[in-house]
Short mmCIF file of all heavy atoms in Angstrom, two decimals:
data_model
loop_
_atom_site.label_atom_id
_atom_site.label_comp_id
_atom_site.label_asym_id
_atom_site.label_seq_id
_atom_site.Cartn_x
_atom_site.Cartn_y
_atom_site.Cartn_z
N MET A 1359 153.59 -29.73 -13.43
CA MET A 1359 153.82 -28.74 -12.41
C MET A 1359 152.68 -27.71 -12.46
O MET A 1359 152.33 -27.20 -13.51
CB MET A 1359 155.15 -28.06 -12.69
CG MET A 1359 155.64 -27.26 -11.58
SD MET A 1359 157.39 -26.96 -11.93
CE MET A 1359 157.65 -25.58 -10.94
N ALA A 1360 152.11 -27.42 -11.31
CA ALA A 1360 150.99 -26.49 -11.23
C ALA A 1360 151.45 -25.06 -11.43
O ALA A 1360 152.54 -24.67 -11.01
CB ALA A 1360 150.30 -26.63 -9.88
N LYS A 1361 150.60 -24.27 -12.05
CA LYS A 1361 150.91 -22.87 -12.28
C LYS A 1361 150.71 -22.10 -10.97
O LYS A 1361 149.64 -22.12 -10.38
CB LYS A 1361 150.00 -22.32 -13.37
CG LYS A 1361 150.34 -20.92 -13.79
CD LYS A 1361 149.47 -20.47 -14.92
CE LYS A 1361 149.81 -19.08 -15.33
NZ LYS A 1361 148.93 -18.58 -16.39
N SER A 1362 151.75 -21.39 -10.53
CA SER A 1362 151.65 -20.66 -9.28
C SER A 1362 151.02 -19.29 -9.50
O SER A 1362 151.05 -18.75 -10.60
CB SER A 1362 153.04 -20.49 -8.65
OG SER A 1362 153.84 -19.72 -9.50
N LYS A 1363 150.48 -18.73 -8.43
CA LYS A 1363 149.90 -17.39 -8.50
C LYS A 1363 151.02 -16.37 -8.63
O LYS A 1363 152.12 -16.56 -8.11
CB LYS A 1363 149.08 -17.08 -7.25
CG LYS A 1363 147.82 -17.87 -7.16
CD LYS A 1363 147.02 -17.38 -5.98
CE LYS A 1363 145.69 -18.07 -5.90
NZ LYS A 1363 144.89 -17.57 -4.78
N GLU A 1364 150.73 -15.29 -9.30
CA GLU A 1364 151.72 -14.22 -9.42
C GLU A 1364 151.90 -13.55 -8.07
O GLU A 1364 150.95 -13.34 -7.33
CB GLU A 1364 151.25 -13.18 -10.43
CG GLU A 1364 151.23 -13.68 -11.85
CD GLU A 1364 150.83 -12.58 -12.80
OE1 GLU A 1364 151.04 -11.39 -12.47
OE2 GLU A 1364 150.30 -12.91 -13.84
N ILE A 1365 153.14 -13.21 -7.78
CA ILE A 1365 153.41 -12.53 -6.51
C ILE A 1365 153.01 -11.06 -6.60
O ILE A 1365 152.38 -10.52 -5.70
CB ILE A 1365 154.90 -12.67 -6.13
CG1 ILE A 1365 155.21 -14.13 -5.87
CG2 ILE A 1365 155.23 -11.83 -4.92
CD1 ILE A 1365 156.66 -14.42 -5.66
N ARG A 1366 153.36 -10.41 -7.72
CA ARG A 1366 152.98 -9.01 -7.92
C ARG A 1366 151.71 -8.96 -8.75
O ARG A 1366 151.66 -9.49 -9.85
CB ARG A 1366 154.10 -8.25 -8.61
CG ARG A 1366 155.33 -8.13 -7.74
CD ARG A 1366 156.34 -7.17 -8.25
NE ARG A 1366 156.15 -5.77 -8.01
CZ ARG A 1366 156.03 -5.16 -6.85
NH1 ARG A 1366 155.99 -5.87 -5.76
NH2 ARG A 1366 155.91 -3.86 -6.76
N VAL A 1367 150.68 -8.30 -8.20
CA VAL A 1367 149.40 -8.20 -8.88
C VAL A 1367 149.06 -6.73 -9.14
O VAL A 1367 149.50 -5.84 -8.42
CB VAL A 1367 148.26 -8.85 -8.06
CG1 VAL A 1367 148.45 -10.35 -8.00
CG2 VAL A 1367 148.18 -8.26 -6.68
N THR A 1368 148.28 -6.48 -10.19
CA THR A 1368 147.82 -5.14 -10.51
C THR A 1368 146.52 -4.89 -9.76
O THR A 1368 145.61 -5.71 -9.79
CB THR A 1368 147.58 -5.01 -12.02
OG1 THR A 1368 148.79 -5.35 -12.70
CG2 THR A 1368 147.18 -3.61 -12.39
N ILE A 1369 146.45 -3.74 -9.08
CA ILE A 1369 145.26 -3.40 -8.29
C ILE A 1369 144.78 -2.01 -8.68
O ILE A 1369 145.50 -1.22 -9.29
CB ILE A 1369 145.56 -3.43 -6.78
CG1 ILE A 1369 146.68 -2.44 -6.42
CG2 ILE A 1369 145.91 -4.82 -6.32
CD1 ILE A 1369 146.82 -2.18 -4.96
N ASN A 1370 143.53 -1.71 -8.32
CA ASN A 1370 142.94 -0.39 -8.53
C ASN A 1370 142.72 0.27 -7.18
O ASN A 1370 142.27 -0.37 -6.23
CB ASN A 1370 141.60 -0.50 -9.25
CG ASN A 1370 141.77 -0.95 -10.67
OD1 ASN A 1370 142.74 -0.61 -11.32
ND2 ASN A 1370 140.82 -1.72 -11.16
N LEU A 1371 143.05 1.56 -7.10
CA LEU A 1371 142.82 2.35 -5.90
C LEU A 1371 141.73 3.37 -6.20
O LEU A 1371 141.78 4.04 -7.23
CB LEU A 1371 144.10 3.08 -5.47
CG LEU A 1371 145.30 2.21 -5.15
CD1 LEU A 1371 146.53 3.07 -4.93
CD2 LEU A 1371 145.04 1.36 -3.93
N GLU A 1372 140.76 3.48 -5.30
CA GLU A 1372 139.62 4.38 -5.51
C GLU A 1372 139.50 5.35 -4.34
O GLU A 1372 139.66 4.97 -3.19
CB GLU A 1372 138.34 3.56 -5.63
CG GLU A 1372 137.11 4.37 -5.90
CD GLU A 1372 135.90 3.47 -6.06
OE1 GLU A 1372 135.64 3.03 -7.18
OE2 GLU A 1372 135.23 3.22 -5.03
N CYS A 1373 139.20 6.61 -4.65
CA CYS A 1373 139.03 7.64 -3.63
C CYS A 1373 137.80 7.31 -2.78
O CYS A 1373 136.71 7.10 -3.31
CB CYS A 1373 138.87 9.01 -4.29
SG CYS A 1373 138.53 10.33 -3.13
N ILE A 1374 137.97 7.29 -1.46
CA ILE A 1374 136.83 6.92 -0.61
C ILE A 1374 135.87 8.09 -0.44
O ILE A 1374 134.68 7.87 -0.24
CB ILE A 1374 137.29 6.38 0.76
CG1 ILE A 1374 138.14 7.39 1.51
CG2 ILE A 1374 138.06 5.10 0.59
CD1 ILE A 1374 138.46 6.97 2.93
N ASP A 1375 136.35 9.34 -0.54
CA ASP A 1375 135.45 10.50 -0.42
C ASP A 1375 134.52 10.59 -1.64
O ASP A 1375 133.33 10.84 -1.49
CB ASP A 1375 136.24 11.79 -0.28
CG ASP A 1375 136.94 11.89 1.07
OD1 ASP A 1375 136.55 11.14 1.98
OD2 ASP A 1375 137.84 12.73 1.20
N CYS A 1376 135.06 10.39 -2.82
CA CYS A 1376 134.23 10.45 -4.04
C CYS A 1376 133.24 9.28 -4.09
O CYS A 1376 132.11 9.45 -4.52
CB CYS A 1376 135.11 10.39 -5.29
SG CYS A 1376 136.07 11.88 -5.57
N ALA A 1377 133.68 8.10 -3.66
CA ALA A 1377 132.81 6.93 -3.71
C ALA A 1377 131.62 7.08 -2.76
O ALA A 1377 130.51 6.67 -3.08
CB ALA A 1377 133.61 5.67 -3.35
N GLN A 1378 131.84 7.69 -1.60
CA GLN A 1378 130.76 7.86 -0.62
C GLN A 1378 129.78 8.94 -1.05
O GLN A 1378 128.59 8.85 -0.80
CB GLN A 1378 131.34 8.21 0.75
CG GLN A 1378 132.06 7.06 1.39
CD GLN A 1378 132.75 7.47 2.68
OE1 GLN A 1378 132.81 8.64 3.01
NE2 GLN A 1378 133.29 6.49 3.39
N ASN A 1379 130.26 10.00 -1.70
CA ASN A 1379 129.43 11.15 -2.05
C ASN A 1379 129.00 11.17 -3.51
O ASN A 1379 128.47 12.18 -3.96
CB ASN A 1379 130.18 12.45 -1.73
CG ASN A 1379 130.48 12.57 -0.26
OD1 ASN A 1379 129.72 12.11 0.57
ND2 ASN A 1379 131.60 13.18 0.07
N PHE A 1380 129.23 10.10 -4.25
CA PHE A 1380 128.96 10.12 -5.69
C PHE A 1380 127.48 10.31 -6.01
O PHE A 1380 127.12 11.08 -6.87
CB PHE A 1380 129.47 8.83 -6.35
CG PHE A 1380 129.37 8.87 -7.84
CD1 PHE A 1380 130.13 9.75 -8.58
CD2 PHE A 1380 128.50 8.02 -8.51
CE1 PHE A 1380 130.05 9.79 -9.96
CE2 PHE A 1380 128.40 8.06 -9.88
CZ PHE A 1380 129.18 8.94 -10.61
N GLY A 1381 126.59 9.66 -5.28
CA GLY A 1381 125.17 9.79 -5.55
C GLY A 1381 124.53 10.99 -4.89
O GLY A 1381 123.51 11.50 -5.34
N LYS A 1382 125.12 11.51 -3.83
CA LYS A 1382 124.52 12.60 -3.06
C LYS A 1382 124.69 13.96 -3.73
O LYS A 1382 123.77 14.74 -3.82
CB LYS A 1382 125.14 12.65 -1.66
CG LYS A 1382 124.84 11.42 -0.84
CD LYS A 1382 125.52 11.47 0.50
CE LYS A 1382 125.30 10.17 1.26
NZ LYS A 1382 126.04 10.15 2.51
N ARG A 1383 125.91 14.23 -4.19
CA ARG A 1383 126.18 15.52 -4.83
C ARG A 1383 126.47 15.32 -6.30
O ARG A 1383 126.74 14.21 -6.75
CB ARG A 1383 127.41 16.16 -4.19
CG ARG A 1383 127.18 16.55 -2.76
CD ARG A 1383 128.38 17.32 -2.27
NE ARG A 1383 128.71 16.82 -0.94
CZ ARG A 1383 129.90 16.85 -0.41
NH1 ARG A 1383 130.90 17.35 -1.08
NH2 ARG A 1383 130.11 16.39 0.78
N CYS A 1384 126.42 16.40 -7.03
CA CYS A 1384 126.72 16.33 -8.46
C CYS A 1384 128.23 16.28 -8.64
O CYS A 1384 128.90 17.30 -8.60
CB CYS A 1384 126.12 17.52 -9.19
SG CYS A 1384 126.35 17.45 -10.96
N ARG A 1385 128.77 15.11 -8.81
CA ARG A 1385 130.22 14.94 -9.01
C ARG A 1385 130.49 14.56 -10.46
O ARG A 1385 129.65 13.97 -11.13
CB ARG A 1385 130.77 13.83 -8.11
CG ARG A 1385 130.67 14.12 -6.66
CD ARG A 1385 131.89 14.85 -6.24
NE ARG A 1385 131.83 15.09 -4.79
CZ ARG A 1385 132.84 15.54 -4.12
NH1 ARG A 1385 133.98 15.79 -4.70
NH2 ARG A 1385 132.73 15.76 -2.84
N ARG A 1386 131.67 14.86 -10.91
CA ARG A 1386 132.04 14.54 -12.28
C ARG A 1386 132.49 13.09 -12.43
O ARG A 1386 132.44 12.55 -13.51
CB ARG A 1386 133.15 15.47 -12.75
CG ARG A 1386 132.68 16.90 -12.86
CD ARG A 1386 133.80 17.76 -13.31
NE ARG A 1386 134.87 17.71 -12.31
CZ ARG A 1386 135.86 18.57 -12.21
NH1 ARG A 1386 135.93 19.57 -13.04
NH2 ARG A 1386 136.77 18.45 -11.28
N GLY A 1387 132.95 12.48 -11.36
CA GLY A 1387 133.42 11.11 -11.45
C GLY A 1387 134.08 10.66 -10.16
O GLY A 1387 134.05 11.35 -9.15
N ILE A 1388 134.70 9.49 -10.22
CA ILE A 1388 135.40 8.91 -9.08
C ILE A 1388 136.85 8.74 -9.47
O ILE A 1388 137.16 8.17 -10.51
CB ILE A 1388 134.78 7.55 -8.69
CG1 ILE A 1388 133.33 7.73 -8.27
CG2 ILE A 1388 135.59 6.91 -7.57
CD1 ILE A 1388 132.61 6.44 -7.98
N SER A 1389 137.75 9.25 -8.65
CA SER A 1389 139.18 9.17 -8.92
C SER A 1389 139.68 7.74 -8.70
O SER A 1389 139.42 7.14 -7.67
CB SER A 1389 139.93 10.12 -7.99
OG SER A 1389 141.32 9.97 -8.13
N ARG A 1390 140.39 7.21 -9.70
CA ARG A 1390 140.96 5.87 -9.61
C ARG A 1390 142.40 5.87 -10.09
O ARG A 1390 142.73 6.54 -11.06
CB ARG A 1390 140.16 4.88 -10.43
CG ARG A 1390 138.81 4.59 -9.83
CD ARG A 1390 138.23 3.31 -10.38
NE ARG A 1390 137.00 3.00 -9.69
CZ ARG A 1390 135.85 2.79 -10.29
NH1 ARG A 1390 135.76 2.85 -11.58
NH2 ARG A 1390 134.77 2.52 -9.57
N TYR A 1391 143.25 5.13 -9.40
CA TYR A 1391 144.64 4.93 -9.78
C TYR A 1391 144.88 3.44 -9.96
O TYR A 1391 144.25 2.62 -9.29
CB TYR A 1391 145.59 5.43 -8.68
CG TYR A 1391 145.75 6.92 -8.61
CD1 TYR A 1391 144.95 7.68 -7.77
CD2 TYR A 1391 146.71 7.56 -9.36
CE1 TYR A 1391 145.10 9.05 -7.69
CE2 TYR A 1391 146.88 8.93 -9.29
CZ TYR A 1391 146.07 9.66 -8.46
OH TYR A 1391 146.23 11.03 -8.39
N THR A 1392 145.80 3.09 -10.84
CA THR A 1392 146.20 1.70 -11.04
C THR A 1392 147.65 1.57 -10.61
O THR A 1392 148.49 2.39 -10.97
CB THR A 1392 146.08 1.30 -12.52
OG1 THR A 1392 144.74 1.52 -12.94
CG2 THR A 1392 146.42 -0.16 -12.72
N THR A 1393 147.93 0.54 -9.81
CA THR A 1393 149.29 0.30 -9.32
C THR A 1393 149.50 -1.19 -9.13
O THR A 1393 148.60 -1.99 -9.37
CB THR A 1393 149.54 1.07 -8.01
OG1 THR A 1393 150.91 0.97 -7.66
CG2 THR A 1393 148.66 0.56 -6.89
N ARG A 1394 150.71 -1.56 -8.72
CA ARG A 1394 151.02 -2.96 -8.47
C ARG A 1394 151.45 -3.12 -7.02
O ARG A 1394 152.02 -2.20 -6.44
CB ARG A 1394 152.14 -3.42 -9.40
CG ARG A 1394 151.72 -3.40 -10.85
CD ARG A 1394 152.86 -3.76 -11.75
NE ARG A 1394 153.32 -5.12 -11.55
CZ ARG A 1394 152.89 -6.19 -12.23
NH1 ARG A 1394 151.99 -6.03 -13.17
NH2 ARG A 1394 153.37 -7.38 -11.99
N LYS A 1395 151.14 -4.29 -6.45
CA LYS A 1395 151.57 -4.56 -5.08
C LYS A 1395 152.08 -5.98 -4.97
O LYS A 1395 151.72 -6.86 -5.77
CB LYS A 1395 150.44 -4.32 -4.08
CG LYS A 1395 149.43 -5.43 -3.97
CD LYS A 1395 148.53 -5.21 -2.78
CE LYS A 1395 147.64 -6.42 -2.58
NZ LYS A 1395 146.84 -6.33 -1.39
N ASN A 1396 152.90 -6.22 -3.97
CA ASN A 1396 153.45 -7.53 -3.70
C ASN A 1396 152.55 -8.23 -2.69
O ASN A 1396 152.33 -7.71 -1.60
CB ASN A 1396 154.88 -7.38 -3.15
CG ASN A 1396 155.60 -8.70 -3.05
OD1 ASN A 1396 155.00 -9.73 -2.77
ND2 ASN A 1396 156.90 -8.65 -3.26
N ARG A 1397 152.02 -9.38 -3.06
CA ARG A 1397 151.09 -10.10 -2.17
C ARG A 1397 151.75 -10.57 -0.88
O ARG A 1397 151.10 -10.64 0.16
CB ARG A 1397 150.53 -11.32 -2.89
CG ARG A 1397 149.29 -11.04 -3.62
CD ARG A 1397 148.66 -12.33 -4.03
NE ARG A 1397 148.00 -12.09 -5.30
CZ ARG A 1397 147.44 -13.00 -6.03
NH1 ARG A 1397 147.46 -14.24 -5.65
NH2 ARG A 1397 146.85 -12.70 -7.14
N ARG A 1398 153.01 -10.94 -0.95
CA ARG A 1398 153.69 -11.44 0.24
C ARG A 1398 153.92 -10.35 1.27
O ARG A 1398 153.78 -10.57 2.46
CB ARG A 1398 155.03 -12.07 -0.14
CG ARG A 1398 154.88 -13.37 -0.86
CD ARG A 1398 156.22 -14.00 -1.10
NE ARG A 1398 156.08 -15.18 -1.94
CZ ARG A 1398 157.06 -15.74 -2.58
NH1 ARG A 1398 158.28 -15.23 -2.50
NH2 ARG A 1398 156.86 -16.80 -3.32
N ASN A 1399 154.29 -9.15 0.82
CA ASN A 1399 154.59 -8.06 1.75
C ASN A 1399 153.33 -7.37 2.26
O ASN A 1399 153.31 -6.89 3.40
CB ASN A 1399 155.49 -7.02 1.08
CG ASN A 1399 156.84 -7.58 0.76
OD1 ASN A 1399 157.25 -8.58 1.32
ND2 ASN A 1399 157.54 -6.93 -0.15
N THR A 1400 152.30 -7.26 1.43
CA THR A 1400 151.06 -6.57 1.82
C THR A 1400 149.85 -7.45 1.52
O THR A 1400 149.18 -7.26 0.51
CB THR A 1400 150.92 -5.23 1.09
OG1 THR A 1400 151.08 -5.46 -0.30
CG2 THR A 1400 151.92 -4.22 1.57
N PRO A 1401 149.55 -8.41 2.38
CA PRO A 1401 148.39 -9.28 2.13
C PRO A 1401 147.05 -8.59 2.37
O PRO A 1401 146.04 -8.99 1.81
CB PRO A 1401 148.59 -10.44 3.10
CG PRO A 1401 149.42 -9.88 4.20
CD PRO A 1401 150.28 -8.81 3.58
N ILE A 1402 147.05 -7.51 3.18
CA ILE A 1402 145.80 -6.80 3.44
C ILE A 1402 145.56 -5.77 2.34
O ILE A 1402 146.43 -5.49 1.52
CB ILE A 1402 145.83 -6.12 4.84
CG1 ILE A 1402 147.02 -5.15 4.92
CG2 ILE A 1402 145.90 -7.15 5.94
CD1 ILE A 1402 147.03 -4.32 6.16
N ARG A 1403 144.38 -5.17 2.35
CA ARG A 1403 144.05 -4.16 1.35
C ARG A 1403 144.91 -2.92 1.53
O ARG A 1403 145.10 -2.44 2.64
CB ARG A 1403 142.58 -3.79 1.42
CG ARG A 1403 141.71 -4.89 0.90
CD ARG A 1403 140.43 -4.33 0.43
NE ARG A 1403 139.63 -5.40 -0.13
CZ ARG A 1403 138.42 -5.23 -0.58
NH1 ARG A 1403 137.86 -4.06 -0.52
NH2 ARG A 1403 137.76 -6.23 -1.09
N LEU A 1404 145.36 -2.37 0.41
CA LEU A 1404 146.27 -1.24 0.42
C LEU A 1404 145.50 0.07 0.50
O LEU A 1404 144.46 0.22 -0.13
CB LEU A 1404 147.10 -1.29 -0.86
CG LEU A 1404 148.28 -0.35 -1.00
CD1 LEU A 1404 149.31 -0.66 0.09
CD2 LEU A 1404 148.91 -0.52 -2.36
N GLU A 1405 146.01 1.00 1.30
CA GLU A 1405 145.45 2.36 1.40
C GLU A 1405 146.59 3.34 1.25
O GLU A 1405 147.58 3.27 1.98
CB GLU A 1405 144.76 2.58 2.75
CG GLU A 1405 143.45 1.91 2.88
CD GLU A 1405 142.74 2.31 4.17
OE1 GLU A 1405 143.28 3.14 4.93
OE2 GLU A 1405 141.66 1.78 4.41
N LEU A 1406 146.47 4.26 0.29
CA LEU A 1406 147.49 5.27 0.05
C LEU A 1406 146.84 6.64 -0.03
O LEU A 1406 145.69 6.76 -0.45
CB LEU A 1406 148.22 5.01 -1.27
CG LEU A 1406 149.05 3.75 -1.37
CD1 LEU A 1406 149.58 3.58 -2.78
CD2 LEU A 1406 150.20 3.81 -0.39
N LYS A 1407 147.57 7.66 0.37
CA LYS A 1407 147.08 9.02 0.27
C LYS A 1407 147.54 9.57 -1.08
O LYS A 1407 148.75 9.73 -1.31
CB LYS A 1407 147.63 9.86 1.42
CG LYS A 1407 146.82 11.08 1.69
CD LYS A 1407 147.16 11.67 3.04
CE LYS A 1407 146.18 12.78 3.34
NZ LYS A 1407 146.48 13.41 4.61
N LYS A 1408 146.59 9.82 -1.98
CA LYS A 1408 146.88 10.28 -3.34
C LYS A 1408 146.05 11.53 -3.62
O LYS A 1408 145.08 11.81 -2.93
CB LYS A 1408 146.52 9.20 -4.37
CG LYS A 1408 147.12 7.84 -4.13
CD LYS A 1408 148.54 7.76 -4.55
CE LYS A 1408 148.62 7.48 -6.02
NZ LYS A 1408 150.00 7.43 -6.49
N PHE A 1409 146.42 12.24 -4.68
CA PHE A 1409 145.68 13.44 -5.07
C PHE A 1409 144.44 13.05 -5.86
O PHE A 1409 144.51 12.31 -6.83
CB PHE A 1409 146.55 14.38 -5.91
CG PHE A 1409 145.84 15.65 -6.29
CD1 PHE A 1409 145.68 16.66 -5.37
CD2 PHE A 1409 145.30 15.82 -7.55
CE1 PHE A 1409 145.02 17.83 -5.69
CE2 PHE A 1409 144.64 16.98 -7.90
CZ PHE A 1409 144.51 17.99 -6.97
N CYS A 1410 143.28 13.58 -5.45
CA CYS A 1410 142.02 13.35 -6.15
C CYS A 1410 141.70 14.61 -6.95
O CYS A 1410 141.53 15.69 -6.38
CB CYS A 1410 140.90 13.04 -5.17
SG CYS A 1410 139.30 12.86 -5.97
N ARG A 1411 141.62 14.48 -8.26
CA ARG A 1411 141.37 15.66 -9.09
C ARG A 1411 139.93 16.14 -8.99
O ARG A 1411 139.64 17.29 -9.31
CB ARG A 1411 141.73 15.38 -10.54
CG ARG A 1411 140.95 14.27 -11.18
CD ARG A 1411 141.43 14.02 -12.58
NE ARG A 1411 140.67 12.92 -13.15
CZ ARG A 1411 140.70 12.59 -14.40
NH1 ARG A 1411 141.46 13.27 -15.23
NH2 ARG A 1411 140.00 11.58 -14.84
N TYR A 1412 139.01 15.30 -8.56
CA TYR A 1412 137.62 15.71 -8.41
C TYR A 1412 137.38 16.43 -7.08
O TYR A 1412 136.60 17.37 -7.01
CB TYR A 1412 136.69 14.51 -8.55
CG TYR A 1412 136.85 13.82 -9.88
CD1 TYR A 1412 137.38 12.54 -9.97
CD2 TYR A 1412 136.49 14.46 -11.05
CE1 TYR A 1412 137.53 11.91 -11.19
CE2 TYR A 1412 136.64 13.85 -12.28
CZ TYR A 1412 137.17 12.58 -12.34
OH TYR A 1412 137.34 11.97 -13.55
N CYS A 1413 138.04 15.99 -6.01
CA CYS A 1413 137.94 16.66 -4.71
C CYS A 1413 138.87 17.87 -4.66
O CYS A 1413 138.63 18.79 -3.89
CB CYS A 1413 138.31 15.70 -3.59
SG CYS A 1413 137.21 14.30 -3.41
N GLY A 1414 139.95 17.84 -5.42
CA GLY A 1414 140.90 18.93 -5.44
C GLY A 1414 141.85 18.94 -4.26
O GLY A 1414 142.43 19.96 -3.93
N ARG A 1415 142.05 17.78 -3.63
CA ARG A 1415 142.94 17.69 -2.47
C ARG A 1415 143.43 16.25 -2.34
O ARG A 1415 142.98 15.36 -3.06
CB ARG A 1415 142.24 18.11 -1.19
CG ARG A 1415 140.99 17.32 -0.89
CD ARG A 1415 140.16 17.99 0.21
NE ARG A 1415 138.86 17.39 0.30
CZ ARG A 1415 138.56 16.41 1.15
NH1 ARG A 1415 139.45 15.95 1.98
NH2 ARG A 1415 137.35 15.90 1.17
N HIS A 1416 144.37 16.03 -1.43
CA HIS A 1416 144.88 14.69 -1.17
C HIS A 1416 143.90 13.95 -0.27
O HIS A 1416 143.51 14.46 0.79
CB HIS A 1416 146.26 14.75 -0.51
CG HIS A 1416 147.34 15.11 -1.46
ND1 HIS A 1416 147.63 16.40 -1.81
CD2 HIS A 1416 148.19 14.33 -2.15
CE1 HIS A 1416 148.63 16.41 -2.67
NE2 HIS A 1416 148.99 15.16 -2.90
N THR A 1417 143.49 12.76 -0.69
CA THR A 1417 142.54 11.93 0.06
C THR A 1417 143.06 10.50 0.11
O THR A 1417 143.99 10.14 -0.59
CB THR A 1417 141.15 11.93 -0.57
OG1 THR A 1417 141.26 11.45 -1.92
CG2 THR A 1417 140.54 13.32 -0.58
N ILE A 1418 142.42 9.70 0.94
CA ILE A 1418 142.80 8.28 1.04
C ILE A 1418 142.17 7.52 -0.11
O ILE A 1418 140.97 7.64 -0.36
CB ILE A 1418 142.36 7.70 2.40
CG1 ILE A 1418 143.11 8.37 3.53
CG2 ILE A 1418 142.60 6.19 2.42
CD1 ILE A 1418 142.67 7.95 4.90
N HIS A 1419 142.99 6.75 -0.80
CA HIS A 1419 142.53 5.87 -1.88
C HIS A 1419 142.70 4.43 -1.41
O HIS A 1419 143.77 4.05 -0.95
CB HIS A 1419 143.35 6.11 -3.15
CG HIS A 1419 142.98 7.36 -3.87
ND1 HIS A 1419 143.20 8.61 -3.34
CD2 HIS A 1419 142.41 7.55 -5.08
CE1 HIS A 1419 142.77 9.52 -4.19
NE2 HIS A 1419 142.30 8.91 -5.26
N ARG A 1420 141.63 3.66 -1.50
CA ARG A 1420 141.60 2.29 -0.99
C ARG A 1420 141.52 1.30 -2.15
O ARG A 1420 140.89 1.56 -3.16
CB ARG A 1420 140.39 2.13 -0.07
CG ARG A 1420 140.37 0.82 0.69
CD ARG A 1420 139.24 0.78 1.69
NE ARG A 1420 139.51 1.77 2.75
CZ ARG A 1420 138.57 2.42 3.41
NH1 ARG A 1420 137.31 2.24 3.11
NH2 ARG A 1420 138.89 3.26 4.35
N GLU A 1421 142.14 0.15 -1.95
CA GLU A 1421 142.11 -0.91 -2.95
C GLU A 1421 140.70 -1.45 -3.12
O GLU A 1421 139.99 -1.66 -2.14
CB GLU A 1421 143.05 -2.04 -2.49
CG GLU A 1421 143.13 -3.20 -3.44
CD GLU A 1421 144.04 -4.31 -2.92
OE1 GLU A 1421 144.85 -4.05 -2.04
OE2 GLU A 1421 143.89 -5.43 -3.43
N ILE A 1422 140.28 -1.66 -4.38
CA ILE A 1422 138.94 -2.19 -4.67
C ILE A 1422 139.09 -3.49 -5.44
O ILE A 1422 140.13 -3.77 -6.03
CB ILE A 1422 138.09 -1.19 -5.47
CG1 ILE A 1422 138.76 -0.83 -6.79
CG2 ILE A 1422 137.78 0.03 -4.65
CD1 ILE A 1422 137.87 -0.06 -7.72
N LYS A 1423 138.02 -4.29 -5.43
CA LYS A 1423 138.01 -5.52 -6.21
C LYS A 1423 137.75 -5.18 -7.67
O LYS A 1423 137.06 -4.24 -8.00
CB LYS A 1423 136.91 -6.45 -5.71
CG LYS A 1423 137.20 -7.03 -4.36
CD LYS A 1423 136.15 -8.04 -3.99
CE LYS A 1423 136.44 -8.67 -2.66
NZ LYS A 1423 135.43 -9.65 -2.28
N LYS A 1424 138.28 -6.01 -8.55
CA LYS A 1424 138.08 -5.80 -9.99
C LYS A 1424 136.79 -6.43 -10.43
O LYS A 1424 136.29 -7.35 -9.93
CB LYS A 1424 139.22 -6.40 -10.78
CG LYS A 1424 140.48 -5.59 -10.63
CD LYS A 1424 141.52 -6.11 -11.55
CE LYS A 1424 142.76 -5.26 -11.44
NZ LYS A 1424 143.80 -5.68 -12.31
#
């Protein structure tokens, strides 16, 4: 019997504001969160509004490849 893919996978979410401005301005880092998602319910890339400690406000965090 073939091993099936896991339905729930662990993903990383990265702040899009920090990622775009990381080289332009002097930033301390890029905000990243780790979470899990269900592949069947959300096959597209996940976007959540989370708090970025480097920007100091709530920004959109997008799923990135590992």
